[in-house]
Amino acid sequence: MDTGARTFVTRADAVSITDKRLLKGARAREIVLRRAVDIASLDGLDDVSFGRLATDTGMSKAGIQTLFRSKEVLQLATIDYARDMFIDAVVRPAREAAPGVDRLRSLIEHWFDYAKTPLFEGGCFRVANIARFDSRPGPVRDALVRDQQEWLDTIGKQLRNAVSSHEIAELDIDLAVFQIDSVLCAANTALRLGDEDVIAKVRRTVEDLLKAA
């Protein structure tokens, strides 16, 4: 007679085990990506590697490779994570303001908070990375360009709202978007160098574009 103890795993037990594994994987992914966006903002996406992340997080290199499979997958996940953080910090809070001039100003003010705090250790994630990949075709470049265009479209939409509602005079929207983005990129560098006076200059630049109709 077999007197050894037998373990029976019920369906509920199996689901619980699966849920715990998924939760553990999600937590590990969160830890890795939160560190990855900081590395990328400081040293660029090229320095986002399994080995460095293993060292910085205390996780195993093999475990991180299991989560992301390849360096390119890891880089793309890092871009998506940074995008979500940016939306939470800048775009989503600005939605409380009325479309048009008020929302554009809110976007700019939340961008200042994003860059000054900074949300990422190295400042603006896009500024730190897009110039490194602008001449390197591939999925990483495409993701960065898509992210950048989404931000430009967000600015442009509020300028168009302001023009259509007669809050401001007619203007070249594409040129205005370029000017605003350019001064924000320059402001990111200035803020990293400790020059907070640049914020007033950005505000003046934006307000010069928002002339009453």
Side-chain angles (χ1 to χ4, degrees):
M1 180 183 296
D2 181 7
T3 59
R6 299 181 62 185
T7 301
F8 294 92
V9 178
T10 66
R11 180 179 178 84
D13 290 334
V15 170
S16 178
I17 291 169
T18 300
D19 287 347
K20 287 177 181 177
R21 286 174 178 167
L22 290 173
L23 182 59
K24 184 178 180 180
R27 286 173 176 167
R29 184 182 176 87
E30 178 84 12
I31 291 169
V32 169
L33 290 176
R34 188 62 189 86
R35 182 57 192 148
V37 294
D38 281 337
I39 292 172
S41 70
L42 285 164
D43 302 318
L45 279 160
D46 281 331
D47 275 25
V48 176
S49 66
F50 296 128
R52 181 166 179 183
L53 286 166
T55 299
D56 288 1
T57 64
M59 297 172 62
S60 72
K61 182 177 178 180
I64 297 174
Q65 286 177 312
T66 298
L67 287 171
F68 296 99
R69 302 192 307 279
S70 72
K71 182 170 181 175
E72 184 176 272
V73 170
L74 173 60
Q75 289 174 323
L76 292 172
T78 301
I79 294 169
D80 286 344
Y81 193 84
R83 172 186 176 274
D84 289 344
M85 290 180 66
F86 180 82
I87 289 172
D88 286 343
V90 179
V91 179
R92 188 164 286 118
R95 291 173 184 163
E96 296 180 8
V101 168
D102 286 349
R103 190 170 298 179
L104 178 62
R105 287 176 176 145
S106 184
L107 284 167
I108 301 300
E109 292 302 318
H110 283 99
W111 186 93
F112 289 146
D113 292 339
Y114 152 81
K116 283 191 305 179
T117 307
L119 185 62
F120 307 111
E121 286 185 19
C124 182
F125 181 91
R126 281 193 305 276
V127 173
N129 285 283
I130 201 161
R132 299 169 189 257
F133 285 86
D134 57 5
S135 300
R136 296 163 60 180
V140 173
R141 177 185 183 275
D142 292 346
L144 289 167
V145 171
R146 186 167 56 248
D147 190 20
Q148 172 72 355
Q149 190 59 53
E150 187 177 77
W151 171 235
L152 299 180
D153 290 345
T154 298
I155 296 171
K157 180 179 180 180
Q158 299 315 315
L159 286 170
R160 289 185 178 87
N161 285 336
V163 170
S164 64
S165 62
H166 306 293
E167 289 185 281
I168 63 174
E170 292 283 343
L171 80 168
D172 185 329
I173 299 291
D174 289 341
L175 178 58
V177 170
F178 174 80
Q179 291 171 315
I180 292 172
D181 182 60
S182 295
V183 295
L184 291 178
C185 289
N188 177 74
T189 301
L191 289 168
R192 300 280 63 73
L193 295 174
D195 178 14
E196 294 208 4
D197 291 341
V198 73
I199 291 175
K201 296 173 185 175
V202 174
R203 288 191 181 117
R204 285 176 56 190
T205 301
V206 173
E207 290 303 319
D208 284 345
L209 296 170
L210 305 181
K211 296 175 181 177

